[in-house]
Amino acid sequence: MDMSVRAEIYDKVSDARGKVILQGFPDVGLVGSITVTYLVDQLQLREVGYVDSEALPPIATIRNSEAKELIRIYEGKTSIVFLSEIPIPSNLIRPLAREMIGWAKKKNIGRIYCLTGLAEPNRLEIDTPKIFIAGSNSKLVDELVDKLEAEALEEGFVAGINAELVKQGSRMGYDVGVLLAQSHYNYPDPGAAAQILLKMPKLIEEHVDVNPLLQSAEMVRMQLRDLMRRTSDTMGVMQKSKELELPPVYR
Amino acid sequence: MEREADEIFRSIKEFEARTGCIIPLHDLVESGDEVILSVDLPGVRKEDITLEVTETQVTLEAPCRTPLPSSKLGSRYRLRIEMPTELDTSTVKARLQNGVLEVRALKKRPRGTRITVE
């Protein structure tokens, strides 16, 4: 690992006590990306900051002729949302996870929820994807399983930024929950994102109408094709396919 | 690694710009005796898909009915993909579900003679 890589958060957030972070970086089925982008749009969240790092490529997103940061932070009544326009480079994953947890503690944010997909080889046969929960501690997992009427991810692997956040949360005694919706691995999956969005009233006390997302699902899949292709390449580097395996039996 | 991926990405975009066709996301898996190709085709009706399978290659073309977000994109999907092994074309099955096309075919059995060991 390149120890010189740093992640820095620049923000206008003074105190976010009582709020939670929703992280939806590009990953399996782009489930997290679709979820948080839709939330930002539907709840009209305010852009309040960004992440910078020398590990990020020299790219600016242009929206309505205006340059935007690649990894942005938005704030709502009950949540702080992290989203990224590009897959997180593998050498940025550790420093970013550390920085996010340190930042969350400093801002008095209660927890981090990672929203993502769980690659399901039989996704074509599934009409309503299930939500699975993993977390930095069993008490949090039990609470989320109850609250969201979801299933615990009993055995398996989590890879990428979600893995780093959950591991560092566990080491630092900070609550990090991972919500995984059964999804396609390599294809954008708005249907899986919709299942996570349906949990928002219980997760962040905000109702989100998922019908516009489902109605525009074809367009969303078309528009996210390039990001999915880039993300698939990055997932290969971080052994994301490990999530399809079961861990060995020893404990 | 990143440079290679970027090069592949650039060639895809160049093909799309040159032909006005979209190369769809796809995945090819060998599973036992079978080869499974899945292709993400949002906005496509099954009756509009032209699919041809030979022993060594799968080609497909289909118009996309979804209004596209940018004129930079084409309005047809086109994919030609070499198979990792020869296919028994008499076993090909294809279905379109929720905009994902799945093509399954058995691998061609190698011709040979069973030899009794003396």
Side-chain angles (χ1 to χ4, degrees):
Chain A
M1 190 183 65
D2 183 356
M3 293 302 286
S4 65
V5 171
R6 285 172 306 158
E8 286 174 282
I9 295 177
Y10 298 89
D11 67 281
K12 296 175 199 158
V13 179
S14 49
D15 188 352
R17 192 177 300 274
K19 297 186 181 182
V20 296
I21 288 178
L22 301 176
Q23 175 271 111
F25 295 140
D27 200 14
V28 173
L30 298 182
V31 173
S33 298
I34 298 169
T35 305
V36 295
T37 308
Y38 191 73
L39 275 175
V40 166
D41 185 57
Q42 289 286 304
L43 302 178
Q44 298 187 326
L45 305 187
R46 206 162 47 91
E47 192 178 332
V48 291
Y50 63 92
V51 175
D52 195 16
S53 169
E54 60 271 41
L56 289 173
I59 296 171
T61 311
I62 305 295
R63 299 252 187 240
N64 299 321
S65 309
E66 187 191 345
K68 293 275 193 188
E69 297 289 339
L70 290 176
I71 305 177
R72 299 193 294 279
I73 305 167
Y74 291 82
E75 185 172 21
K77 277 187 286 185
T78 59
S79 60
I80 304 275
V81 168
F82 277 65
L83 65 76
S84 175
E85 301 267 358
I86 60 162
I88 304 299
S90 54
N91 59 344
L92 181 57
I93 284 176
R94 280 191 182 199
L96 178 56
R98 254 196 314 265
E99 179 69 12
M100 279 177 72
I101 293 180
W103 183 81
K105 283 179 154 181
K106 201 168 76 186
K107 302 290 177 181
N108 296 309
I109 293 167
R111 332 180 136 164
I112 296 175
Y113 293 128
C114 305
L115 313 177
T116 186
L118 179 67
E120 171 51 64
N122 294 319
R123 174 69 178 94
L124 276 182
E125 322 302 335
I126 296 170
D127 288 332
T128 308
K130 282 186 197 169
I131 306 285
F132 291 88
I133 306 291
S136 55
N137 63 74
S138 58
K139 191 171 160 229
L140 172 66
V141 173
D142 291 344
E143 182 204 312
L144 289 173
V145 164
D146 264 3
K147 189 156 85 171
L148 304 178
E149 294 167 26
E151 288 183 31
L153 182 71
E154 298 283 357
E155 304 278 343
F157 289 103
V158 179
I161 185 86
N162 303 320
E164 263 322 293
L165 281 166
V166 92
K167 276 198 300 187
Q168 294 194 24
S170 176
R171 290 173 197 154
M172 297 161 80
Y174 188 80
D175 280 351
V176 179
V178 188
L179 279 67
L180 305 105
Q182 289 177 308
S183 83
H184 290 296
Y185 180 67
N186 270 335
Y187 308 147
D189 198 334
Q195 290 308 309
I196 292 188
L197 286 163
L198 287 170
K199 303 294 182 188
M200 287 302 147
K202 288 177 178 167
L203 198 67
I204 58 167
E205 294 168 10
E206 292 265 24
H207 173 76
V208 188
D209 179 9
V210 297
N211 285 322
L213 173 66
L214 295 174
Q215 281 158 10
S216 61
E218 285 182 356
M219 178 64 83
V220 171
R221 285 164 63 187
M222 284 288 300
Q223 284 177 323
L224 293 179
R225 201 168 40 95
D226 291 337
L227 177 59
M228 187 74 252
R229 206 167 252 142
R230 295 258 184 211
T231 303
S232 297
D233 287 338
T234 311
M235 290 195 298
V237 175
M238 64 179 81
Q239 295 191 21
K240 201 71 189 166
S241 60
K242 195 85 183 155
E243 290 184 349
L244 295 164
E245 299 175 18
L246 280 173
V249 288
Y250 54 78
R251 296 189 185 264
Chain B
M1 179 85 182
E2 276 174 22
R3 193 169 292 177
E4 275 172 35
D6 208 59
E7 197 58 30
I8 293 168
F9 198 80
R10 191 174 61 83
S11 66
I12 289 171
K13 299 317 286 179
E14 276 180 5
F15 171 86
E16 291 183 344
R18 205 172 54 244
T19 62
C21 289
I22 299 161
I23 299 180
L25 296 170
H26 56 276
D27 205 13
L28 186 64
V29 180
E30 287 186 69
S31 174
D33 294 341
E34 209 177 19
V35 173
I36 305 164
L37 170 68
S38 79
V39 189
D40 194 33
L41 296 173
V44 164
R45 285 188 295 245
K46 68 176 179 183
E47 55 271 30
D48 293 335
I49 299 174
T50 306
L51 175 68
E52 285 178 19
V53 181
T54 69
E55 289 181 348
T56 57
Q57 202 176 64
V58 173
T59 55
L60 78 84
E61 207 166 323
C64 176
R65 65 167 183 240
T66 306
L68 298 169
S70 158
S71 58
K72 283 186 203 164
L73 292 174
S75 56
R76 291 184 77 76
Y77 293 103
R78 187 189 285 173
L79 179 68
R80 185 167 66 196
I81 184 165
E82 299 293 327
M83 293 294 105
T85 179
E86 287 195 359
L87 305 180
D88 177 351
T89 53
S90 66
T91 65
V92 178
K93 286 183 181 160
R95 63 170 176 157
L96 183 74
Q97 189 141 350
N98 297 326
V100 177
L101 176 73
E102 188 179 72
V103 182
R104 288 172 174 262
L106 291 178
K107 294 176 185 171
K108 197 172 177 182
R109 285 172 189 271
R111 282 192 190 154
T113 308
R114 179 168 290 207
I115 309 293
T116 306
V117 180
E118 295 176 9

